[in-house]
Amino acid sequence: QLLQVQLTPELETPAYTVLKAARGYELRRYQPFIVAETAMPRGSTPAGGAGFTELAGYIFGGNSQQESMEMTTPVFTRSPTQVAAGGVTDSSSGAGEVTMQFVLEKKFTDVDELPQPNNRNVRRKQLPGSYCAAARFGGVPFDWEVKDAERRLREALARDGLHAKPGYRLARYNEPW
């Protein structure tokens, strides 16, 4: 019997500090980072993969400088009810839409210095530092698993006296093959 071991390649990820490790979740503080994002088609859910091709096109040379960029983790998908800091709906990428985001390499520190996307549906965006509660679950997510993980996270936060804002970001670390 042959046992094949596959290792996930070492990929860059946004910097964060774990402020608290609790039963079922972590409280994290993220440093600012830059993403490329695109709206997913109407009717898409955060567990879906629509938008991946457009973003991959941008980082693999589909831009004004034909510059290839390194793949990073995670790939974020944002629920349509994501709320920005201060409780204001984040309308910079369209209120109510599901978006997919690729984190860009740390070497990029200014959105204006990034190459322009060839695809007009791809936007570049600086995300501010933020606090979040993060829970882990394995596998390739189905919609019901994402909703169940969100429910469990919110219950754990409530159990510990914390209140989460509406919406969530699904962070995927799956290999791209």
Side-chain angles (χ1 to χ4, degrees):
Q1 183 172 4
L2 178 65
L3 177 63
Q4 182 178 5
V5 177
Q6 291 186 338
L7 299 176
T8 301
E10 297 241 356
L11 299 175
E12 195 175 294
T13 191
Y16 66 88
T17 303
V18 176
L19 302 174
K20 177 183 177 182
R23 191 178 74 210
Y25 67 93
E26 292 179 343
L27 293 180
R28 299 176 179 176
R29 181 179 62 225
Y30 277 86
Q31 298 299 314
F33 57 94
I34 297 175
V35 297
E37 76 173 10
T38 190
M40 296 168 68
R42 176 175 233 101
S44 294
T45 63
F52 191 92
T53 302
E54 289 87 348
L55 294 172
Y58 174 66
I59 70 166
F60 295 133
N63 57 64
S64 60
Q65 297 174 13
Q66 297 180 334
E67 179 179 353
S68 285
M69 302 172 210
E70 294 294 322
M71 189 69 186
T72 62
T73 59
V75 172
F76 286 111
T77 45
R78 184 187 70 138
S79 73
T81 54
Q82 182 73 33
V83 174
V88 178
T89 300
D90 180 2
S91 60
S92 61
S93 60
E97 69 184 4
V98 177
T99 59
M100 180 174 281
Q101 298 172 325
F102 278 14
V103 175
L104 298 181
E105 298 169 76
K106 291 176 187 155
K107 73 178 185 180
F108 299 113
T109 58
D110 184 347
V111 171
D112 295 328
E113 293 177 0
L114 285 165
Q116 291 288 331
N118 292 345
N119 183 329
R120 63 185 171 91
N121 295 323
V122 174
R123 301 176 291 256
R124 302 152 307 146
K125 184 177 181 180
Q126 172 76 49
L127 297 182
S130 62
Y131 294 89
C132 80
R136 296 175 190 245
F137 62 98
V140 177
F142 293 102
D143 291 329
W144 67 269
E145 291 172 305
V146 173
K147 289 176 185 171
D148 187 53
E150 179 191 14
R151 179 191 54 76
R152 287 191 318 258
L153 175 58
R154 289 181 182 283
E155 287 173 356
L157 292 170
R159 174 193 70 221
D160 292 345
L162 300 171
H163 176 72
K165 293 178 181 177
Y168 62 88
R169 275 203 173 109
L170 174 64
R172 293 188 254 193
Y173 294 83
N174 307 71
E175 292 89 352
W177 53 83

